[in-house]
Amino acid sequence: MAITAGVVAVQGDVNEHAEAVVEAAADHGEAATVIEIRESGLVEDCDVLLMPGGESTTISRLIHREGIAAEIREHVASGKPVLATCAGLIVAASDAGDDRVETLDLLDVHVQRNAFGRQKDSFEAPLDVDGLDESFHAVFIRAPVISEVGDVDVLATWDGRPVAVRDGPVVGTSFHPELTGDHRIHELAFFE
Ligand code: GLN
């Protein structure tokens, strides 16, 4: 039996996430079929969902306009998993600190966009992640800071700040776990 993985594809890094989820599934002896979500009516067919990086203002505007936002909320309400990365994390948060982003309130965190500072616009860091035996090489690109955490599990921190969190079926990361060929974060979100 194959699982169906939906990548929210209105804008942002779609292909890398599609590859990562297929490989993560294969490691668990499962096949994954990937569908790209740009319109309503597809989310209900998905076992797992990915909300990629990109531009959170654009992603939030389009998923609301297309009627996808409410479907993502229903997916989570029924206990199905979501991995939300970078801009995806911003959209999934309860507060993005920016009126142009209408958040989905799937993760009980406040974020600040682009807040790791200009010199650190993009950087890479080895992270200790709860649930992984060895460190994860994380790539941060104009990454959001998680500035307040509510009722979530913090899975990893960098520089004293949370950069990976879990709120029930939803995992959010400030960084891009799809860019390095290491799909352990996808496994953690979907298969463990
Ligand atoms: N800076 C982007 C935003 O605020 C996120 C960057 C990313 O997803 N790589 O939406």
Side-chain angles (χ1 to χ4, degrees):
M1 256 258 307
I3 65 153
T4 301
V7 185
V8 176
V10 292
Q11 193 259 339
D13 333 319
V14 174
N15 294 340
E16 293 87 350
H17 272 301
E19 276 168 33
V21 71
V22 167
E23 285 170 20
D27 280 357
H28 286 259
E30 301 205 46
T33 306
V34 177
I35 58 176
E36 297 188 1
I37 296 169
R38 297 193 181 81
E39 64 204 46
S40 61
L42 299 172
V43 169
E44 65 182 350
D45 296 333
C46 297
D47 301 298
V48 309
L49 276 185
L50 297 114
M51 296 175 60
E55 193 55 44
S56 53
T57 50
T58 307
I59 293 172
S60 115
R61 181 166 47 79
L62 293 176
I63 62 175
H64 283 93
R65 191 186 78 186
E66 297 303 320
I68 299 167
E71 296 180 346
I72 298 173
R73 285 208 193 89
E74 281 166 28
H75 173 96
V76 172
S78 69
K80 294 187 197 167
V82 173
L83 174 59
T85 65
C86 204
L89 161 70
I90 298 169
V91 176
S94 54
D95 187 324
D98 184 332
D99 290 344
R100 291 169 299 169
V101 182
E102 195 179 333
T103 57
L104 295 179
D105 201 10
L106 305 175
L107 280 165
D108 190 6
V109 296
H110 291 200
V111 298
Q112 282 176 269
R113 301 178 60 214
N114 305 319
F116 266 108
R118 197 181 295 164
Q119 273 156 0
K120 287 184 167 179
D121 254 0
S122 293
F123 62 99
E124 304 190 8
L127 295 183
D128 288 328
V129 180
D130 244 23
L132 302 186
D133 292 342
E134 284 167 30
S135 76
F136 189 90
H137 186 81
V139 180
F140 294 78
I141 304 170
R142 296 176 58 232
V145 162
I146 298 174
S147 49
E148 283 179 42
V149 293
D151 190 13
V152 299
D153 299 323
V154 174
L155 303 179
T157 59
W158 180 252
D159 211 12
R161 312 180 214 225
V163 291
V165 292
R166 178 191 280 282
D167 189 347
V170 184
V171 171
T173 66
S174 296
F175 56 91
H176 287 267
E178 77 284 14
L179 291 182
T180 51
D182 180 348
H183 35 75
R184 287 177 296 157
I185 300 283
H186 290 74
E187 291 182 38
L188 201 67
F190 298 142
F191 300 106
E192 281 163 17

